[in-house]
């Protein structure tokens, strides 16, 4: 009859957990690289997608046209330093989203990015803004040391 060894089970559990996290990070990296390659292919091809350069606070698009908006180290790196510009940028992204559309900001407060005092303050101001307008959001882990903010337009 085998006996349970809690120490051994704990080590096995930690080993498996580390491998799962490792695999998730590799899958996310692969997904990001694949998306980036597709983006470059579209830009470089004659019949590729169209891309527009614009200020995040004043997007040149009609209301309710997008299903999904994703900001990777843009809004949280540049506009977050100015509270009004940051909240206006998020408002603009929400304006162009269709109902049930989603805006994701990555990275969010915490994790590997060291946020300054004003950035933390402005990030919290955004959450208060969303709460005051009853806009659904959640913060979830992307990998072992970073999070993203997901905002759902209702």
């Amino acid at each position: 009859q085998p006996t349970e060894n809690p120490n051994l089970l704990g080590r096995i559990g930690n080993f498996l957990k580390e491998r799962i996290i490792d695999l998730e990070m590799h899958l996310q990296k692969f997904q990001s690289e694949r998306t980036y390659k597709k983006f470059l292919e579209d830009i470089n091809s004659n019949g590729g997608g169209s891309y527009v350069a614009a200020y995040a606070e004043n997007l040149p698009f009609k209301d309710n046209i997008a299903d999904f908006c994703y900001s990777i180290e843009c809004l949280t790196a540049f506009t977050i330093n100015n509270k009004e510009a940051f909240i206006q940028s998020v408002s603009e992204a929400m304006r162009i989203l269709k109902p049930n559309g989603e805006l994701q900001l990555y990275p969010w407060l915490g994790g590997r990015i060291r946020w300054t005092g004003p950035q933390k303050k402005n990030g919290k101001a955004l959450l208060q803004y969303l709460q005051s307008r009853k806009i659904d959001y959640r913060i979830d882990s992307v990998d072992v040391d970073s999070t993203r903010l997901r905002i759902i337009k209702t």
Side-chain angles (χ1 to χ4, degrees):
Q1 173 118 12
T3 59
E4 281 192 26
N5 180 339
N7 193 19
L8 178 62
L9 290 176
R11 288 194 322 236
I12 291 171
N14 285 339
F15 174 82
L16 292 175
K17 188 167 125 182
E18 288 172 10
R19 297 308 172 269
I20 289 169
I21 290 170
D22 221 22
L23 178 61
E24 287 174 354
M25 287 174 32
H26 286 297
L27 288 173
Q28 287 171 357
K29 183 178 178 189
F30 172 74
Q31 195 75 0
S32 295
E33 288 173 0
R34 200 169 71 183
T35 302
Y36 182 67
K37 285 179 185 175
K38 174 69 174 132
F39 176 74
L40 290 179
E41 286 171 11
D42 284 350
I43 287 176
N44 292 324
S45 69
N46 291 331
S50 60
Y51 300 91
V52 176
Y55 289 104
E57 304 94 318
N58 187 20
L59 297 174
F61 304 112
K62 294 179 183 177
D63 296 355
N64 303 311
I65 61 157
D67 295 307
F68 185 75
C69 292
Y70 194 61
S71 171
I72 304 172
E73 296 187 17
C74 287
L75 296 181
T76 56
F78 300 108
T79 65
I80 196 168
N81 293 309
N82 178 316
K83 182 175 109 178
E84 289 75 26
F86 184 50
I87 291 175
Q88 179 60 32
S89 297
V90 170
S91 295
E92 273 295 280
M94 297 300 291
R95 177 186 64 76
I96 69 167
L97 283 174
K98 295 177 183 175
N100 298 315
E102 183 173 329
L103 167 63
Q104 291 186 10
L105 303 180
Y106 173 82
W108 189 241
L109 294 170
R112 62 184 161 79
I113 304 296
R114 299 293 163 233
W115 297 64
T116 66
Q119 290 171 331
K120 287 179 186 176
K121 184 177 176 184
N122 293 340
K124 289 176 183 175
L126 174 64
L127 297 182
Q128 291 170 345
Y129 169 83
L130 296 172
Q131 289 169 351
S132 72
R133 284 161 181 72
K134 296 182 174 36
I135 298 172
D136 186 30
Y137 71 88
R138 82 188 74 132
I139 299 168
D140 53 27
S141 293
V142 175
D143 56 38
V144 290
D145 65 349
S146 62
T147 59
R148 69 179 163 202
L149 174 64
R150 298 173 63 201
I151 305 169
I152 313 297
K153 181 177 181 178
T154 52

